[in-house]
Amino acid sequence: MQDHGINLENADCMTWLTSQKEESFQLIILDPPYNVGYKYNQYQDTKPQHQYLIEQFLVLSHCQRLLKPGGSVFYLNYPETAARIWAEVDFLDRFEWINWTPHAHVRGTPLRKASRAWLWFSKGKPLINQEAFQTEYRNPTDHRIKKRIEAGLKPASYDWIDLEPVKNTSKQKRKHPCQVPEEMVERFILGTSNPGDLVGDCFLGSGTTAICAVRHGRSFAGCEIDPLYVQVAETAIQAEINAKNLAQSLNEHDVKK
Ligand SMILES: C[S@@+](CC[C@H](N)C(=O)[O-])C[C@H]1O[C@@H](n2cnc3c(N)ncnc32)[C@H](O)[C@@H]1O
């Protein structure tokens, strides 16, 4: 996989982060465990909250060192934790707060917790490819919207994401309890990096960030602490590389014809 610019380690995030080169990443995507007692294969999601928060700050401060100027970090958590991190992290620029309502009613009473926050930090003014953040119109049959579509106009970009979580019946589903949807990660990759750039993720889980990086011609470096999930991720990344190679050779074959 290294031939394809993919470097995945079975390691603890702190060890991995300290071993990476300063200002080498254009984009880092972080979907850490939320410290809510979630059931992973090996990792125990039940740390004292103050210890958990200190670790999250440390991870982000490493990201500050690793990011290139103009680079971005997308950091996912529950809104309550995200708010504390947003308030305290002043060593990166707080660029946007993006709400994700994944329609997943996992736990919580009296109200089930169905929202998450993506914190978009940057190192200076971030590189942005605006089209990547422009999604489809929600009411394309409305006569005013039809006119906009006919005129080639795109909808505005919003600070919320309306994507379903990856369900057990989804084609994307791998052996991991909390995969994020590829469409969401692809949006961040296309929106804040260019082909050839290095994308990172030190809580890789089932491999989503790396798969999307391969798909869009970015290099990837990252880690995951659980060897079982590393295996899941490696298999899925290899399948993505194979699919890409096949598409490329079919394309070359068509051109020769
Ligand atoms: C929320 S999941 C990430 C899911 C991923 N975004 C995906 O789509 O598959 C968090 C992952 O972080 C891993 N993890 C927990 N502590 C870690 C640490 N200290 N270093 C590296 N990975 C860790 C867990 O094993 C888990 O797979």
Side-chain angles (χ1 to χ4, degrees):
M1 282 197 294
Q2 283 188 353
D3 299 350
H4 293 85
I6 305 297
N7 204 322
L8 166 56
E9 288 176 36
N10 181 198
D12 176 84
C13 60
M14 291 301 170
T15 314
W16 181 83
L17 285 161
T18 40
S19 70
Q20 299 303 300
K21 216 172 113 210
E22 196 166 320
E23 299 203 340
S24 53
F25 289 81
Q26 172 59 32
L27 167 64
I28 300 175
I29 297 181
L30 299 173
D31 173 21
Y34 303 149
N35 207 33
V36 290
Y38 210 87
K39 212 165 165 18
Y40 291 98
N41 175 52
Q42 253 185 16
Y43 174 74
Q44 298 298 315
D45 195 27
T46 50
K47 293 185 173 172
Q49 186 66 359
H50 66 277
Q51 182 192 335
Y52 172 77
L53 281 173
I54 289 169
E55 284 173 11
Q56 300 303 297
F57 292 132
L58 257 177
V59 166
L60 284 162
S61 97
H62 276 293
C63 292
Q64 194 280 340
R65 185 181 64 80
L66 300 182
L67 268 197
K68 286 181 168 178
S72 293
V73 175
F74 287 83
Y75 174 91
L76 184 66
N77 216 311
Y78 277 119
E80 294 82 352
T81 308
R84 298 185 70 174
I85 289 176
W86 191 244
E88 297 300 332
V89 172
D90 55 4
F91 43 81
L92 282 162
D93 293 294
R94 301 176 187 102
F95 192 65
E96 288 273 9
W97 173 299
I98 303 170
N99 291 307
W100 175 34
T101 311
H103 308 270
H105 35 81
V106 183
R107 65 186 78 221
T109 179
L111 306 180
R112 289 196 171 192
K113 303 204 71 58
S115 47
R116 309 278 184 278
W118 276 107
L119 306 182
W120 178 356
F121 295 103
S122 64
K123 189 165 181 175
K125 189 172 181 294
L127 177 155
I128 299 177
N129 301 316
Q130 186 69 35
E131 319 81 70
F133 292 100
Q134 287 170 321
T135 51
E136 298 304 315
Y137 286 106
R138 286 158 65 86
N139 44 356
T141 51
D142 179 281
H143 67 282
R144 287 158 303 186
I145 300 299
K146 266 188 174 166
K147 277 197 187 142
R148 288 183 64 83
I149 295 172
E150 280 159 19
L153 295 172
K154 286 278 197 174
S157 310
Y158 290 97
D159 62 356
W160 48 265
I161 296 175
D162 185 22
L163 282 172
E164 297 267 322
V166 180
K167 300 196 170 136
N168 286 338
T169 51
S170 164
K171 264 185 15 200
Q172 288 179 19
K173 185 67 187 168
R174 294 180 285 278
K175 275 197 177 153
H176 192 282
C178 48
Q179 243 177 279
V180 291
E182 288 168 14
E183 298 87 320
M184 191 161 66
V185 172
E186 286 184 284
R187 204 176 290 176
F188 300 153
I189 290 181
L190 292 170
T192 61
S193 71
N194 287 324
D197 282 340
L198 181 59
V199 176
D201 183 343
C202 62
F203 300 104
L204 187 64
S206 69
T208 310
T209 305
I211 291 163
C212 298
V214 169
R215 190 170 299 158
H216 296 289
R218 275 67 169 169
S219 299
F220 173 85
C223 70
E224 160 61 48
I225 203 166
D226 187 328
L228 180 72
Y229 297 153
V230 171
Q231 229 175 51
V232 170
E234 277 176 348
T235 306
I237 296 164
Q238 192 56 55
E240 187 68 32
I241 293 172
N242 295 347
K244 202 173 172 187
N245 287 346
L246 181 64
Q248 211 168 337
S249 55
L250 287 176
N251 216 358
E252 281 162 13
H253 185 254
D254 281 353
V255 170
K256 273 189 200 146
K257 263 194 181 173

